[in-house]
Amino acid sequence: MTIQELRGTLESYLNEHFGHYNVDPEGDFVVEYESARVYICPRTWSDNGDHTVVQLFSVTNVEVPITKELTDFLSTENLSLLFGHFALHDKEREVWFGHTLLGDFLDPEELVTALSAVARAANKYDDLIKERFGGRLYTEAHA
């Protein structure tokens, strides 16, 4: 599947199941869910560019003090998650939550399930991380 074909597939699935979405300046799709903003990013995945993936991610928190307690918390939580994982962008002091799907075999139910799981987890954890470790919600900093 080409990246253009994947973009068309994503647009169709997002229109059918979510109705409203935005497109950011990089051309990625964006869906809002309560305090979470989920990015849906079609990407090529092989040296010759003939395979695709869909990266789903939400920047949950920004300006977070990077501490051992935070990194221990994120590592421990990663073990219990069925969909998605936390990542720490330490230079920018950001916490991300994301999941990746194979674009070549994407079906609507898989996208909806994964997107919903990422959105719910990001919405749950962003407040918890802010309360326990400081910083701000991504949506507060990028309103």
Side-chain angles (χ1 to χ4, degrees), residues 9-120:
T9 298
L10 287 169
E11 287 175 340
S12 173
Y13 293 170
L14 291 171
N15 279 325
E16 180 180 342
H17 294 280
F18 294 95
H20 180 73
Y21 61 88
N22 295 309
V23 179
D24 72 7
E26 289 79 33
D28 296 324
F29 304 99
V30 183
V31 172
E32 308 275 340
Y33 175 74
E34 295 185 17
S35 64
R37 185 174 296 156
V38 181
Y39 293 84
I40 303 100
C41 311
R43 300 286 187 260
T44 56
W45 168 55
S46 60
D47 291 339
N48 59 6
D50 62 348
H51 293 290
T52 59
V53 295
V54 178
Q55 293 180 309
L56 307 168
F57 72 89
S58 179
V59 181
T60 60
N61 301 81
V62 298
E63 302 169 8
V64 182
I66 308 302
T67 63
K68 181 179 180 342
E69 291 78 19
L70 172 65
T71 58
D72 287 350
F73 172 78
L74 298 177
S75 294
T76 302
E77 288 301 305
N78 273 340
L79 288 174
S80 67
L81 297 167
L82 294 175
F83 284 96
H85 63 276
F86 284 104
L88 183 61
H89 192 308
D90 60 341
K91 187 174 184 174
E92 298 295 327
R93 296 180 17 205
E94 296 174 342
V95 176
W96 292 35
F97 188 84
H99 187 71
T100 302
L101 302 170
L102 294 173
D104 296 344
F105 307 101
L106 188 67
D107 65 57
E109 292 81 16
E110 179 184 29
L111 177 66
V112 169
T113 300
L115 179 53
S116 297
V118 168
R120 285 192 311 271

Side-chain angles (χ1 to χ4, degrees), residues 119-131:
R120 285 192 311 271
N123 184 60
K124 170 187 170 184
Y125 281 104
D126 61 3
D127 292 318
L128 191 145
I129 291 168
K130 178 182 174 181
E131 289 171 17

